[in-house]
Amino acid sequence: MENIYHHWEKVCLVDIGETAVIPQGISTHVKRSKYFIAGGIAGAASRTATAPLDRLKVVLQVQTTNADILPAVRKILKEDGILGFFRGNGLNVVKVAPESAIKFYAYEMLKTVIGDSRGDKKGDIGASGRLFAGGVAGAVAQCAIYPMDLVKTRLQTCASEGGKPPKLGKLTKDIWVQEGPRAFYKGLVPSLLGIIPYAGIDLTVYETLKDFSRSYILQDSEPGPLVQLGCGTISGALGATCVYPLQVIRTRMQAQRTTSGVAYNGMSDVFWK
C-alpha cells in the first residue's frame, strides 16, 4: 500500500477528482497557495475538456427508457447546438477551488488528529489512516459543495425554453421556493456511500496490478511511468464502474423535482424504477 502513495506523491500532486483520495505528503511538495492555483487551473481545464462527455453522461443517466447515445447527442444538438454540450460547465469549474480547498484542509486536520491519537508526531499515519482521512475529507468536501452539484445537474437536465437554456439564478431560486432548502441535498447519501468503496477498490486493484507487473512482466524491476499510468487507469476505471450504480441513483434523485408529482421515494425506489 505504501508504494501507491509514493507513486501518487510523484505524479498526482493535485487532486481534482470528486472521489479520489488525497495523496500523502502533498503539503511537503508545494505551498498551499500554489496547490490551490494549480488545482484550480488543472481542474478547470480538465472539466472543460470533458464537459461534453459529462453532459451526455448526465442526460443518459436520467433516462429510464431508450438511453442510447446517438439519440441523446441529436437531442442536445437540436435544443442547444454545440454549446449545449457545455451547459453547466461554468458551475462545474467554479466549484473546483472550494472543493479542493475543503478537501485539502480537512485531510490535513484529520491526519494530525489521527497522528496525535497514535502518538506519532511525524505525521506518518499509515496507508489505512490515509485512506480513512482521505475518504472523510472527500465526504466533507462533497457535503459542502453538494448544492452546487445539484444545481449543475438540474441545469444539464432542464429542457430549453425557446431555444435558450434556463437561467442559473432563476433555476436556483425556483428550487429554494418550490422545493425548500432540503432539496439542494437530494441524492447526497448515495454520493457519500460511493466515496470509500471507490477509493478502496482503486487502491487495491492498483497495488495488485503493480505487483503483478513487477513479478511477471518486469522481472522484479520497478514499474516505469507508463506501466504505473496503465495500472492507475485500469484501477480507476474499475473503481468507477463498481460504484456507478450509486452515481446513477444520485443523478436521478438530483434531477427529480418534488413538484413534478413523480418524485422518487428514496434510494431503493430509484433502484427498482
Side-chain angles (χ1 to χ4, degrees):
M1 291 293 287
E2 295 296 327
N3 292 333
I4 300 173
Y5 293 98
H6 292 322
H7 163 64
W8 279 7
E9 283 183 11
K10 297 176 182 177
V11 299
C12 296
L13 292 181
V14 178
D15 173 27
I16 57 174
E18 294 183 357
T19 52
V21 177
I22 299 175
Q24 180 214 17
I26 187 170
S27 57
T28 63
H29 289 280
V30 290
K31 293 182 179 179
R32 294 183 179 182
S33 59
K34 292 183 178 180
Y35 167 78
F36 294 136
I37 294 173
I41 295 174
S46 64
R47 297 191 183 192
T48 300
T50 58
L53 294 176
D54 182 62
R55 173 80 199 281
L56 184 60
K57 179 196 72 173
V58 172
V59 170
L60 290 173
Q61 284 179 337
V62 297
Q63 295 182 10
T64 56
T65 57
N66 300 324
D68 296 323
I69 295 177
L70 288 180
V73 171
R74 295 193 192 102
K75 181 181 179 182
I76 294 173
L77 287 173
K78 182 179 179 180
E79 290 185 354
D80 302 318
I82 293 295
L83 292 179
F85 287 100
F86 293 88
R87 187 198 288 188
N89 182 59
L91 196 58
N92 203 22
V93 168
V94 167
K95 72 185 182 75
V96 170
E99 183 179 12
S100 299
I102 295 169
K103 188 182 294 186
F104 177 73
Y105 280 110
Y107 175 77
E108 289 295 324
M109 182 182 67
L110 287 168
K111 190 173 71 171
T112 301
V113 171
I114 295 173
D116 291 342
S117 65
R118 293 181 176 181
D120 187 352
K121 302 300 181 181
K122 296 181 179 180
D124 185 10
I125 59 176
S128 60
R130 289 193 291 272
L131 178 61
F132 173 78
V136 174
V140 172
Q142 187 75 261
C143 291
I145 57 91
Y146 195 79
M148 298 176 66
D149 193 53
L150 181 134
V151 174
K152 177 188 77 76
T153 299
R154 292 285 182 93
L155 195 62
Q156 291 179 325
T157 55
C158 279
S160 298
E161 299 177 359
K164 295 182 179 180
K167 298 294 184 180
L168 178 61
K170 183 179 183 301
L171 181 64
T172 305
K173 181 181 177 181
D174 288 344
I175 296 174
W176 180 276
V177 173
Q178 298 176 11
E179 303 179 50
R182 292 182 61 183
F184 287 99
Y185 287 91
K186 285 183 178 180
L188 177 61
V189 173
S191 181
L192 296 179
L193 289 177
I195 292 177
I196 296 296
Y198 171 85
I201 294 170
D202 187 17
L203 292 174
T204 303
V205 174
Y206 178 86
E207 180 188 22
T208 302
L209 290 175
K210 188 177 178 181
D211 289 342
F212 179 85
S213 65
R214 183 189 296 113
S215 301
Y216 297 100
I217 300 176
L218 302 175
Q219 303 300 324
D220 295 329
S221 299
E222 282 299 316
L226 291 179
V227 175
Q228 292 178 344
L229 178 62
C231 294
T233 300
I234 295 173
S235 63
L238 183 59
T241 301
C242 291
V243 301
Y244 191 76
L246 291 172
Q247 293 182 7
V248 174
I249 292 174
R250 178 196 66 177
T251 302
R252 290 187 178 182
M253 293 180 70
Q254 286 179 333
Q256 184 63 53
R257 293 163 182 77
T258 306
T259 56
S260 65
V262 200
Y264 293 112
N265 296 318
M267 288 177 53
S268 59
D269 194 32
V270 180
F271 180 81
W272 291 111
K273 288 184 178 180

